[in-house]
Amino acid sequence: MLTSSERVFGGRFASGAAPTLPTLLAGRAAVAGDEPALTWLATTLTWAALDRRVTAVATALCQVTEPGQRAAILIARPVDHIVAFLGALRAGLVAIPLAPGNRAAVTDAEPSIVLATADTVAATRRFLSASDTCGHRVLAVDIVEETREFTEAPVAAGDVAYLQYPAGVMVTHANVVANARQAAAVLPGRTIVTWRPPSDPLGLLLAVAVPITTGRPVVLVDRSGFRPPPDAGTLVSATDPDLGRLQEAFAPGALRVCHVVAEATAVVTVEGEPAGQRIAIVGPGGRRWPTGEAGEIWVSGPNVGRGYWNRPAESARVFCAFLADDDEPRWWLRTGDLGFLDGAGALSVTGRIAAGHDSQDLQVTAKAAHPAVHEAAAFGGEQAVVVVELRPGALPPRGEVERAVRAALSAEHGLTPRRVVVRSLGGLR
């Protein structure tokens, strides 16, 4: 599948020469091995120590798996989770970072092996035995023996590095390195702080990808009652439930609010500014909406994932959209988020297309509701805003199209839209 990243950036990540997180980690260990890489509670690993632990896990995995197979990570302790994740990548596997107990994701991904810690192996086996899956090997990553003899499995930058749940987004090696560089360009401080678990898109980016890509150490903290270390910075999702308290905990400018989209690896904008990506606000017919008007947020860039695991039709619809008035052909990601761009190009996110009513189904219904309708777009699920454009020259009586659209949506979907906007060639009617 051609991705927006491969098209937009001329295939610069298409060859196997582009760096991956394991190769970047090896480089850090070689030139700055004694410097701290990550700290959690009383544990600090240097780059060299982290690299050795990752190699040990990769060596053990290579003895019982084949490159390209999937490895689920069911580990709560963040340091062990990070080691397991990087070890899976270094072994050429597709990692699946999960919170322990995520039965739905394990069933969907069908991993060949599950990574745990020595004190959780028995509980992990019991958990797996109750799952609707085949038997799994379980490897305790904290007791594998270190080794100096290891050849890293060759992978291409366009190969899938990990699956990101709950949706099962396929993130490639190139995607995660690209998003790490995008985020690093706007991330303040010489030390990174994060309270998000590595199973979370933003947590994985801040705890693993950005530190390895930039060489900045990361401190992993509990979100309750911590004090940021001096000269530390972080990114926080605009939807974080503790946003207000976290903003008070950091020095001015040390915490920056970002918009996170799992299908785009993680970070799309920081303080409203696009993080090295193209952003379009799109209305009916896949046409770009003018400045200040709200519509669906579309994204294109090297960080956009390959698609959804085992969902080709949905992947094509979400990851392979075309903008009708684009300056050159490229694929766009339909984020499902709603927002608008201001005159300076900054993004404001206003909502989310909710589950329960597929926007495509609503659009088909609205388009067929009246013969004067040429195109339609629907946003917002249960609180839907439906925008319809009239055919050129169509001048139906005022209110007739709106009533027809509302009646059709009610009859076919049991939905009462919050608003129906009717656009003609001359503007809103």
Side-chain angles (χ1 to χ4, degrees):
M1 179 185 293
L2 179 67
T3 67
S4 61
S5 59
E6 294 163 340
R7 180 65 187 90
V8 172
F9 289 79
R12 93 179 195 202
F13 291 110
S15 72
T20 65
L21 292 182
T23 58
L24 289 170
L25 172 60
R28 297 285 169 212
V31 302
D34 293 333
E35 296 180 8
L38 63 89
T39 298
W40 178 63
L41 299 178
T43 301
T44 295
L45 289 183
T46 64
W47 291 112
L50 176 60
D51 187 65
R52 287 194 300 270
R53 285 200 58 186
V54 168
T55 297
V57 172
T59 302
L61 286 171
C62 287
Q63 296 172 358
V64 294
T65 63
E66 297 292 333
Q69 291 182 334
R70 293 172 299 285
I73 305 164
L74 299 177
I75 300 175
R77 293 200 297 265
V79 172
D80 292 319
H81 194 117
I82 291 168
V83 168
F85 174 80
L86 292 169
L89 266 56
R90 181 163 282 175
L93 304 180
V94 176
I96 312 167
L98 300 172
N102 192 333
R103 194 179 307 279
V106 172
T107 301
D108 181 70
E110 298 180 328
S112 300
I113 193 167
V114 174
L115 306 185
T117 52
D119 60 336
T120 64
V121 166
T124 301
R125 292 190 186 280
R126 288 194 298 271
F127 165 75
L128 294 171
S129 68
S131 300
D132 186 21
T133 58
C134 299
H136 298 91
R137 286 192 169 108
V138 178
L139 175 68
V141 300
D142 54 336
I143 58 173
V144 294
E145 296 183 2
E146 292 189 3
T147 177
R148 296 183 181 274
E149 299 296 329
F150 177 77
T151 301
E152 189 165 316
V155 297
D159 289 346
V160 176
Y162 59 98
L163 304 182
Q164 196 152 250
Y165 280 89
V169 179
M170 296 186 290
V171 179
T172 70
H173 292 276
N175 292 153
V176 66
V177 171
N179 202 218
R181 288 172 171 165
Q182 291 166 335
V186 292
L187 181 63
R190 284 196 290 260
T191 300
I192 302 167
V193 175
T194 183
W195 49 89
R196 306 291 298 185
S199 55
D200 171 79
L202 185 57
L204 183 60
L205 194 75
L206 293 175
V208 183
V210 175
I212 290 175
T213 302
T214 65
R216 282 188 267 185
V218 60
V219 178
L220 310 172
V221 298
D222 186 278
R223 70 163 55 232
S224 61
F226 73 91
R227 288 187 177 182
D231 198 23
T234 194
L235 300 177
V236 60
S237 170
T239 61
D240 194 295
D242 293 332
L243 178 59
R245 181 179 63 81
L246 293 168
Q247 287 175 318
E248 293 177 355
F250 282 82
L255 178 146
R256 308 196 72 192
V257 180
C258 60
H259 181 50
V260 176
V261 176
E263 288 82 354
T265 302
V267 174
V268 169
T269 65
V270 178
E271 301 292 346
E273 298 296 326
Q277 300 154 54
R278 290 178 171 90
I279 294 179
I281 305 300
V282 183
R287 290 194 292 278
R288 192 188 302 263
W289 238 215
T291 297
E293 291 203 32
E296 185 178 14
I297 301 167
W298 288 18
V299 175
S300 184
N303 53 300
V304 173
R306 175 174 290 184
Y308 296 119
W309 168 251
N310 271 349
R311 292 159 59 192
E314 184 70 359
S315 296
R317 186 186 74 81
V318 173
F319 290 81
C320 302
F322 283 98
L323 198 58
D325 55 351
D326 212 352
D327 55 355
E328 65 173 286
R330 61 171 64 82
W331 282 346
W332 291 79
L333 167 70
R334 300 188 56 168
T335 68
D337 292 321
L338 309 174
F340 63 89
L341 294 170
D342 66 17
L347 176 69
S348 293
V349 181
T350 59
R352 173 77 184 166
I353 298 175
H357 292 285
D358 184 86
S359 60
Q360 293 280 41
D361 292 340
L362 299 181
Q363 287 162 199
V364 169
T365 299
K367 187 174 179 179
H370 193 282
V373 176
H374 175 58
E375 292 289 354
F379 311 104
E382 294 294 343
Q383 297 294 316
V385 174
V386 179
V387 182
V388 297
E389 284 191 342
L390 301 181
R391 297 183 183 278
L395 292 172
R398 183 175 295 274
E400 182 177 286
V401 171
E402 178 180 350
R403 289 192 295 271
V405 170
R406 287 183 177 277
L409 292 173
S410 177
E412 295 192 31
H413 303 281
L415 174 69
T416 301
R418 181 165 59 90
R419 188 181 178 199
V420 175
V421 178
V422 182
R423 294 174 59 97
S424 66
L425 292 179
L428 295 179
R429 285 174 54 87

